[in-house]
Amino acid sequence: MLDVRRLRLLRELARRGTIAAVAEALAFSPSAVSQQLGVLEREAGLPLLERTGRRVRLTPAGEDLVRHAEAVLERLERAEADLAEARTGLAGALRIGSFPTATRAIVPAALITLARRHPRLEPMVCETDPAAVAHALRAGDLDVALVHEYDFVPAPREPGLTTEPLYGEAMYLAAPAAPAGTPEEAGRDQGAVLRTHAEAPWITATPGTLCHAMTVRACQAAGFTPRVRHQVDEFATVLALVAAGQGVAVVPQLGITGADRAVGLTRLLMERRTQLAFRSGAGTHPAVAAFGAALRAAVPAELGSGTDLGEPSRSVTSVLDRKETGSFETAYALSLDDQN
């Protein structure tokens, strides 16, 4: 009989690529991981791994077993969900991953609702970059998480995980406010708006984040590579730097709250979409379902569903004509090709 814990190790090796990475993620020693995978090979009765220099890779039999492992682990998640539903009331820890703007604007109201409906449940929030969520969920470090994707940075499909849409946000170009009487940028396509600032210094998130990739790819789709001066992850700080004349930036709707009058905001055709992510099969777990329901109740009415964001607020400097989408759609298609 194949051991489920060893199947999980094999699945993690397929995703992370090295035994050292699996050991670090799951708090094992590399030798312990190697030993357990060796036992799994003996249980399977044929080689599952092969060495290529200092690395190991899965054999065809190993890759096939990983696919079976995904199905087995999903069924176990469903079984745990059914057992939890059979118990009386929700109790215990619920480990939640979230990114900063959602943690500030959405999560607190959801936690209030959760505490009122399920007082014995103990939600534990940990700010986690969406790029790191998949590993944290599969490793069991998180039970549920908020993740996002941008039009120019679509999220890759993650085996073993399921996502459900929560809300969508408009995106804005933040630049030093233009002097009174300056013509607005309305009626121009997104590429033209971004190219207006091609020579300006840019403020982006730190490299390796989805936010950083979004800004760089949007600018490249408009025909230039941004000259990055500052790298900052917190949007309030980004806006403070824009107000100080330190550059321009692309900021999501939840990030522009409390923007200084010295910052001009131009609505772009891009959007950011936020989803709830969890291990496949865990969607019916009462704690995960309860948190999802509380989150949906906490989403502000002005946020869209991710498909229809409505009109921008009157506080922005201009509104781009949605009919002028040719260059944007072409660039978005190119960004999708770049992901594949």
Side-chain angles (χ1 to χ4, degrees):
M1 180 69 70
L2 299 176
D3 185 279
V4 172
R5 291 169 297 181
R6 297 184 187 113
L7 289 175
R8 192 184 299 275
L9 290 176
L10 186 68
R11 193 269 304 268
E12 287 303 307
L13 180 61
R15 303 293 165 242
R16 298 177 186 270
T18 67
I19 288 175
V22 174
E24 181 179 0
L26 301 182
F28 290 148
S29 68
S31 61
V33 173
S34 295
Q35 182 183 26
Q36 291 300 309
L37 290 174
V39 173
L40 182 61
E41 283 190 312
R42 290 195 293 275
E43 290 176 341
L46 72 170
L48 302 176
L49 307 172
E50 59 185 7
R51 290 201 170 273
T52 57
R54 295 184 178 181
R55 299 174 65 89
V56 295
R57 66 181 182 185
L58 273 64
T59 64
E63 293 175 350
D64 187 50
L65 186 55
V66 166
R67 287 189 287 270
H68 287 295
E70 296 285 6
V72 168
L73 293 170
E74 179 176 347
R75 291 295 299 179
L76 286 175
E77 289 289 346
R78 291 180 180 177
E80 289 185 12
D82 289 345
L83 290 173
E85 189 174 14
R87 301 186 191 110
T88 303
L90 294 181
L94 178 67
R95 296 159 297 178
I96 301 164
S98 181
F99 53 91
T101 48
T103 304
R104 173 182 55 79
I106 309 293
V107 172
L111 296 182
I112 291 172
T113 299
L114 207 60
R116 185 176 66 251
R117 295 176 178 173
H118 308 286
R120 297 174 57 207
L121 194 62
E122 184 182 1
M124 304 167 66
V125 177
C126 177
E127 283 197 350
T128 308
D129 186 271
V133 160
H135 286 330
L137 283 171
R138 282 196 292 260
D141 297 329
L142 297 175
D143 298 310
V144 64
L146 285 82
V147 296
H148 62 238
E149 66 175 5
Y150 294 95
D151 282 335
F152 284 95
V153 194
R157 181 185 177 278
E158 291 287 353
L161 301 186
T162 298
T163 60
E164 295 179 352
L166 285 175
Y167 60 86
E169 296 171 74
M171 300 293 295
Y172 296 88
L173 175 73
T182 301
E184 292 186 349
E185 295 180 308
R188 301 170 62 185
D189 67 31
Q190 175 167 291
V193 171
L194 294 174
R195 283 193 296 274
T196 300
H197 304 277
E199 300 303 319
W202 281 75
I203 306 164
T204 70
T206 52
T209 62
L210 301 181
C211 298
H212 177 270
M214 170 271 302
T215 298
V216 171
R217 291 182 185 181
C219 291
Q220 289 174 339
F224 69 97
T225 298
R227 178 168 58 87
V228 178
R229 174 181 290 178
H230 302 292
Q231 296 177 346
V232 178
D233 288 325
E234 211 282 317
F235 288 120
T237 305
V238 169
L239 293 177
L241 290 172
V242 172
Q246 290 296 300
V248 299
V250 177
V251 182
Q253 187 172 346
L254 286 179
I256 64 174
T257 304
D260 192 283
R261 289 181 178 273
V263 177
L265 297 168
T266 302
R267 168 76 174 269
L268 300 173
L269 291 175
M270 301 162 55
E271 68 178 44
R272 179 170 80 169
R273 292 171 295 279
T274 294
Q275 298 114 4
L276 189 67
F278 43 83
R279 290 181 292 278
S280 296
T284 57
H285 191 289
V288 173
F291 180 63
L295 273 177
R296 290 182 177 83
V299 173
E302 62 267 23
L303 294 183
S305 65
T307 55
D308 181 11
L309 296 177
E311 291 299 318
S313 66
R314 296 183 179 180
S315 63
V316 302
T317 1
S318 66
V319 179
L320 296 178
D321 186 348
R322 284 186 174 270
K323 295 180 181 178
E324 300 185 9
T325 59
S327 62
F328 168 74
E329 290 174 347
T330 301
Y332 181 37
L334 290 174
S335 76
L336 285 173
D337 290 339
D338 187 48
Q339 289 284 297
N340 295 329

